[in-house]
Amino acid sequence: MSDHSTDIKGQFFNSLKRGTGEAYLILQDNPNIDFSDMIIKGAITNYAYDQQSEGSRAVYIYQFIKKVRQKDKIIKAVLTKLQVEKKDYWSLDQMCDLAVLFFKAEHKEAKTALYKRFDKNTLEGYEFCGKEQLMEIDGINGILKVAEIVGKKIIEENDSEDSYLIDSFQKRHKDIQVYAELSKASKKNKFIEAYHKSILENKWAFSKSRKFTKFSYDLIKEKIESNKFRGISVDRANDLSNEEVEKLAKELLTEKNKQKQELYLRFFAKRKFPFDYQPILKIASGKNQAKTRIIELSVDALQYFLGKDIRELAMEKLKSQKNPYKFLNLLVSNYKKGDKTILNEIANRSDNCDFIHTIGFGYVDIYESNKTKECREPLESIYKKMNCGIYRKNVIKLLHDNNVLSDTIRQEIKFDSNEEVRKLNKLIDKNGR
C-alpha cells in the first residue's frame, strides 16, 4: 500500500470516528481505495462522544456502505457481529438500526440476524436490544416476538414495560390493530399476556405538555438547604424578582460552607450577581475545594462582568493550566481582539476527545457573546478534532453567523452524522450564505 493511500485512509477513519462529512467526500474522491475495514469498524462501534444524547449513527454509516463495491462483505461482517455482541448497548443499537436499513434494501438475511440476537436477550450477560427495530422489520410478527420475550422478563424479574414503543408503532402504522392483535395473542401465551397487561397499566402520554415549576427564592432556598439544588436554566433563574436575587446574593456573601457556596453559585452561573463581583473573583482565584465545582461555577458567575482583574486572571490561567477549561468563561465579557491566538494555541495542545469536548463549551460561550471573524481559527481547530455532533452544530452555526464558514466545511456538513447538523445545512441552503 502506498504512503498516499495510507494517509487517505487515516484521514477517512479520523473523520468517520468524529462523524463529519469529510469521510464521505474522501470516499467519493477515491473510488479505487478499499475503505471497507474502516467502515466495518464504524458500523459495529458507535464512536459518538455522548452516545445516549447523539443516538445511533446508522444513517451516516449506511451512506458509505451504499457507495462501495464491498457492501456485501460489510453487511455480512455487521450482521455477524450483531449476533455475538453482548455488552456494548449503543453499538448494538446502531447495528440493529443498520439491520433495518439492510432489510429494507432487500438483504433478507438481516431479519434472521436480528431475530437470532433478539433471542439472546434472555441469556445471562447479554444486553437487551432490538425491540423497536424488530417491530419495524417484521410488523405484527415482530411485535408479538417482542411481547413474548419482554413478557417473560416481566414475569421472571417482576419488571414492567410502558406503551411508548407500541404507541409509536401504532401512530406510524394505522392499518394494523396492534392492541387487538396483542389481546388476541395474550389468550394463548402468558408472556404476551403479561406484556399486554403491563403496557395498558403504564400508558405513555404523548400529548401531555411538560409543566415547568416556577422558581422562587423559597424553592431555591429549600433546595439549597436540603442539598438538592443541582442546576437551573437561564429562563428559570429569570423567574425570580430582583429582590429575591439580592436576598440569595447576600446569603452567598455570608455563607462560610464551601459546599453551600457552590449551590448558590449554581444559581449565579445563570443570573447575574447583583453586587460587586470582587467576592466571587476571590473564590475563582483561590484553590478548588475537593469534590466541588466551586471554581468552575464562580468563573461562570463572572462571565457577566467586565473587569481588568477578571481578564488578568483569565490570561494567567489560560497560559499556566494545561487544560484551562474551567477558566474560559472569564473571557465571555472580557474578550479582546487577538485572543484568537491563545484560544487556538489551547486547542492545539491536545487531540484527546475529552480535552476538546471540555474546552468546546467555553469556546462556544465566548463566541456566542463576541461576534468576530477571528473566531474562525479556534472554532475550526475544535471542529477538526471533536467527535460530538451536538456541539459541532453550535460551532458550525457560529462560523456561519460570523460569515467565516469555509467552503470545505460547507460541503462536509450535508453528510454529517448528526441530524441537526444536516438540518442546519438545509437551512443555510435556504437562506443563502
Side-chain angles (χ1 to χ4, degrees):
M1 188 188 298
S2 69
D3 289 343
H4 174 71
S5 178
T6 301
D7 289 345
I8 293 291
K9 283 190 170 185
Q11 290 172 31
F12 174 86
F13 194 48
N14 178 279
S15 169
L16 183 143
K17 286 193 291 185
R18 289 183 290 118
T20 67
E22 179 190 5
Y24 186 85
L25 298 175
I26 290 172
L27 186 77
Q28 192 170 246
D29 292 342
N30 296 275
N32 296 320
I33 296 179
D34 181 359
F35 295 101
S36 60
D37 289 344
M38 283 161 283
I39 295 172
I40 289 168
K41 286 180 182 178
I44 66 175
T45 305
N46 186 330
Y47 284 110
Y49 186 84
D50 185 342
Q51 299 160 326
Q52 184 170 6
S53 296
E54 282 198 57
S56 164
R57 287 181 168 181
V59 171
Y60 172 71
I61 295 296
Y62 191 53
Q63 69 181 341
F64 304 128
I65 298 173
K66 287 190 296 183
K67 201 165 181 64
V68 299
R69 291 193 294 267
Q70 304 84 6
K71 63 171 66 67
D72 289 340
K73 168 193 169 182
I74 297 168
I75 290 170
K76 183 179 179 181
V78 174
L79 294 178
T80 299
K81 179 64 173 175
L82 168 61
Q83 293 172 68
V84 298
E85 176 60 46
K86 288 184 175 182
K87 288 288 190 182
D88 187 349
Y89 174 78
W90 295 109
S91 295
L92 275 166
D93 186 58
Q94 178 169 288
M95 285 187 276
C96 288
D97 280 345
L98 281 167
V100 174
L101 294 172
F102 298 159
F103 181 76
K104 289 181 176 180
E106 303 300 320
H107 295 274
K108 302 304 180 186
E109 65 272 24
K111 182 165 87 169
T112 303
L114 187 56
Y115 264 101
K116 284 183 177 179
R117 178 59 182 82
F118 197 79
D119 278 331
K120 291 180 179 179
N121 282 336
T122 59
L123 301 179
E124 187 177 348
Y126 281 81
E127 191 73 38
F128 208 105
C129 68
K131 289 187 288 187
E132 186 173 9
Q133 294 90 346
L134 199 59
M135 293 178 183
E136 190 62 29
I137 275 184
D138 207 19
I140 195 62
N141 291 326
I143 286 172
L144 294 178
K145 181 67 173 181
V146 169
E148 183 173 9
I149 298 298
V150 175
K152 188 173 189 288
K153 190 166 179 273
I154 288 169
I155 290 175
E156 294 178 355
E157 300 178 22
N158 194 28
D159 207 344
S160 65
E161 182 85 350
D162 64 44
S163 67
Y164 175 77
L165 286 180
I166 291 295
D167 292 343
S168 296
F169 182 91
Q170 184 67 85
K171 284 175 75 173
R172 295 194 305 273
H173 304 276
K174 293 183 171 56
D175 56 319
I176 301 174
Q177 301 299 313
V178 181
Y179 279 91
E181 293 288 347
L182 283 170
S183 178
K184 180 180 172 183
S186 68
K187 292 179 173 64
K188 298 177 183 177
N189 186 307
K190 67 177 182 179
F191 299 135
I192 295 177
E193 181 184 21
Y195 178 86
H196 185 228
K197 181 182 177 186
S198 182
I199 64 172
L200 288 174
E201 290 175 350
N202 297 277
K203 291 294 289 179
W204 185 270
F206 284 94
S207 59
K208 188 184 290 184
S209 58
R210 188 176 173 188
K211 292 182 179 178
F212 291 100
T213 302
K214 184 175 171 64
F215 274 77
S216 64
Y217 165 82
D218 289 336
L219 179 58
I220 291 174
K221 181 67 174 174
E222 177 191 324
K223 287 178 177 288
I224 290 174
E225 290 302 321
S226 59
N227 194 28
K228 291 180 179 177
F229 188 47
R230 296 293 171 259
I232 191 170
S233 69
V234 171
D235 286 343
R236 298 284 69 79
N238 286 334
D239 285 344
L240 275 69
S241 67
N242 291 336
E243 290 75 20
E244 288 178 308
V245 172
E246 289 183 6
K247 199 170 181 182
L248 288 172
K250 288 173 183 175
E251 289 172 4
L252 169 60
L253 292 174
T254 58
E255 182 59 63
K256 302 300 181 189
N257 181 284
K258 296 294 184 185
Q259 280 78 17
K260 279 196 176 180
Q261 283 182 2
E262 177 184 351
L263 298 181
Y264 280 104
L265 286 168
R266 286 180 192 271
F267 177 83
F268 289 110
K270 302 297 183 181
R271 176 89 178 252
K272 188 176 181 180
F273 188 72
F275 306 134
D276 185 89
Y277 63 77
Q278 288 301 325
I280 298 177
L281 181 61
K282 185 178 179 182
I283 295 172
S285 305
K287 289 185 177 180
N288 196 49
Q289 186 82 10
K291 296 181 180 179
T292 74
R293 293 176 56 220
I294 196 164
I295 297 293
E296 187 179 348
L297 289 165
S298 61
V299 166
D300 288 345
L302 288 170
Q303 70 182 301
Y304 304 105
F305 294 95
L306 172 66
K308 184 180 177 183
D309 42 7
I310 297 176
R311 182 173 168 80
E312 286 172 353
L313 177 63
M315 290 298 108
E316 176 202 333
K317 296 296 185 181
L318 297 188
K319 290 172 183 175
S320 65
Q321 302 264 324
K322 185 178 180 182
N323 184 351
Y325 74 95
K326 291 179 182 175
F327 299 95
L328 285 167
N329 275 9
L330 294 172
L331 286 185
V332 168
S333 293
N334 293 276
Y335 185 90
K336 285 187 178 179
K337 187 176 181 182
D339 283 346
K340 69 168 186 176
T341 303
I342 181 69
L343 293 178
N344 205 44
E345 186 273 316
I346 292 167
N348 288 322
R349 287 178 191 174
S350 175
D351 293 339
N352 178 273
C353 61
D354 290 325
F355 176 92
I356 296 300
H357 192 69
T358 54
I359 66 171
F361 289 97
Y363 281 39
V364 168
D365 287 343
I366 289 167
Y367 286 118
E368 279 181 345
S369 296
N370 297 274
K371 191 165 185 178
T372 170
K373 288 183 182 294
E374 72 171 31
C375 72
R376 178 172 181 169
E377 249 184 289
L379 291 181
E380 283 192 355
S381 294
I382 293 291
Y383 171 87
K384 290 173 184 175
K385 296 180 181 183
M386 63 170 29
N387 66 335
C388 176
I390 296 169
Y391 251 74
R392 189 159 59 242
K393 177 198 171 187
N394 295 331
V395 167
I396 294 165
K397 189 173 185 305
L398 281 169
L399 289 168
H400 178 258
D401 289 347
N402 284 283
N403 296 312
V404 289
L405 182 64
S406 69
D407 289 337
T408 300
I409 296 176
R410 183 73 185 80
Q411 290 303 310
E412 292 176 7
I413 59 178
K414 65 184 75 170
F415 306 110
D416 197 272
S417 65
N418 187 271
E419 185 180 5
E420 292 302 312
V421 171
R422 299 195 299 272
K423 285 181 182 176
L424 181 60
N425 168 64
K426 290 179 181 178
L427 188 65
I428 293 171
D429 269 345
K430 184 179 177 181
N431 297 334
R433 282 197 63 125

